[in-house]
Amino acid sequence: MSRSLTTALTVEGNRPSRCALPPGLEPARLPAHVAVIMDGNGRWAGQRKLPRVMGHREGVEALKRTLRLCSDWGIGSLTAYAFSTENWNRPGEEVSFLMTLFERVLAKELKALEQEQVRIRFLGDLEQLPEGLQQLIQDATDRTASNTGIRFNVCTNYGGRRELVRAARLLAQEVASGERDPDSIDEQAFASKLLTAGEPDPDLLIRTSGEQRISNFLLWQLAYAELHITDVLWPDFDETALVSALMDFQNRQRRFGGVASVSS
Ligand code: IPE
Ligand code: IPE
Ligand code: MG
């Protein structure tokens, strides 16, 4: 992170130490995995009479802030929706701006990600991305794979339905080749074919800019996530907004289909 994580952290050995949580948040009840639909960049720019792409540029700063805070507070995984399979429907200029932005940011921030022990992965149909970006993604994934800090998943050319279809296809191929008995296909087997395999499901989904929809994000994984929708536009998302989301989460009672634990 260019206003690097290192400015906020002291480094002990190779591992950043954790910063104190803001008062009111209980460390033991933080979500292990936070997912975020970073929405509202265009509207943020529109409010300032700027081109939409300026909102995307500012959105990168919000993502860097959010990653730094989640890392500082010991949240295990952050999964961010950067570009959906439907976002190709935007004007060509906006799409190419976004692809170039992803390349620039990744190239610029890789060193800091490595130093801060972030494990970055990109989830989605990566073969459709520009060559240069694919190479940077491969490099960043490889160079941070053995890091021990926060797991940072960037959903790029990601679609939840496409991910489900892919999982079904992989399982079908195993059945067709005789490797797998159809009866062995259970929820665990299915989840193991998703792009998020090995990752716990998100506990908290944050969506900015007030839209009350999922927009094809993590359709399987969000089954029991708590939803926090805020009117804050993504480029304005800051520590106060993240603390509000975490407070909201800590005030929820998660039942997973059971009943509230009350003394009888
Ligand atoms: C989210 O902001 C960023 C991407 C989808 C890439 P938008 O660009 O969707 O912003 P709004 O929704 O038009 O304000
Ligand atoms: C969702 O935002 C996708 C990302 C944040 C990358 P959109 O702006 O594309 O979603 P819709 O069109 O409002 O559903
Ligand atoms: Mg939007």
Side-chain angles (χ1 to χ4, degrees):
M1 329 282 65
S2 58
R3 222 204 87 217
S4 166
L5 288 170
T6 45
T7 56
L9 299 174
T10 52
V11 177
E12 289 163 11
N14 228 3
R15 193 130 189 223
S17 69
R18 303 220 167 126
C19 293
L21 267 185
L25 284 174
E26 288 177 50
R29 296 185 55 236
L30 282 175
H33 184 172
V34 174
V36 57
I37 301 179
M38 310 183 286
D39 199 12
N41 294 352
R43 276 163 282 173
W44 182 92
Q47 285 175 356
R48 287 160 181 76
K49 306 215 169 4
L50 295 168
R52 288 177 56 80
V53 295
M54 298 304 282
H56 298 316
R57 242 170 58 177
E58 203 56 34
V60 172
E61 300 308 312
L63 182 56
K64 283 160 50 177
R65 276 197 294 276
T66 305
L67 174 62
R68 187 169 59 238
L69 291 167
C70 289
S71 169
D72 287 359
W73 297 340
I75 289 171
S77 303
L78 174 69
T79 299
Y81 205 3
F83 191 87
S84 76
T85 46
E86 289 73 33
N87 287 148
W88 297 106
N89 296 327
R90 296 185 176 209
E93 280 165 29
E94 181 172 342
V95 170
S96 10
F97 181 93
L98 280 167
M99 295 300 150
T100 308
L101 182 69
F102 297 154
E103 285 186 29
R104 286 211 186 121
V105 171
L106 196 50
K108 184 158 166 249
E109 303 296 338
L110 181 54
K111 193 131 212 95
L113 292 169
E114 275 186 289
Q115 280 169 358
E116 305 307 331
Q117 292 296 315
V118 174
R119 274 173 286 184
I120 194 168
R121 284 202 304 156
F122 290 80
L123 312 184
D125 245 340
L126 307 180
E127 313 80 60
Q128 285 175 3
L129 300 174
E131 269 295 311
L133 179 55
Q134 287 188 48
Q135 274 164 23
L136 281 163
I137 286 176
Q138 190 62 55
D139 191 33
T141 310
D142 293 345
R143 278 167 58 180
T144 65
S146 56
N147 280 355
T148 52
I150 190 166
R151 300 163 73 95
F152 179 37
N153 305 309
V154 187
C155 294
T156 317
N157 194 23
Y158 172 88
R161 286 185 170 178
R162 196 178 283 192
E163 181 188 33
L164 295 176
V165 168
R166 176 182 172 275
R169 193 186 306 121
L170 291 172
L171 289 166
Q173 280 163 353
E174 290 182 2
V175 170
S177 69
E179 265 172 87
R180 178 184 281 285
D181 177 348
D183 287 340
S184 74
I185 301 176
D186 55 12
E187 291 187 11
Q188 212 185 339
F190 202 91
S192 76
K193 300 298 183 196
L194 297 174
L195 299 167
T196 50
E199 193 77 75
D201 286 342
D203 305 291
L204 169 66
L205 171 71
I206 300 170
R207 182 162 187 156
T208 55
S209 88
E211 306 296 353
Q212 306 198 17
R213 55 178 170 261
I214 301 286
S215 300
N216 204 13
F217 192 42
L218 301 175
L219 297 180
W220 171 284
Q221 299 87 337
L222 292 175
Y224 267 105
E226 296 296 326
L227 310 182
H228 174 86
I229 292 169
T230 169
D231 286 335
V232 170
L233 302 176
W234 177 249
D236 289 328
F237 195 82
D238 59 5
E239 178 165 346
T240 307
L242 182 59
V243 169
S244 297
L246 295 172
M247 289 285 203
D248 189 15
F249 175 79
Q250 295 198 333
N251 286 324
R252 304 284 177 90
Q253 192 182 54
R254 303 185 80 190
R255 288 191 289 278
F256 299 99
V259 290
S261 49
V262 285
S263 46
S264 49

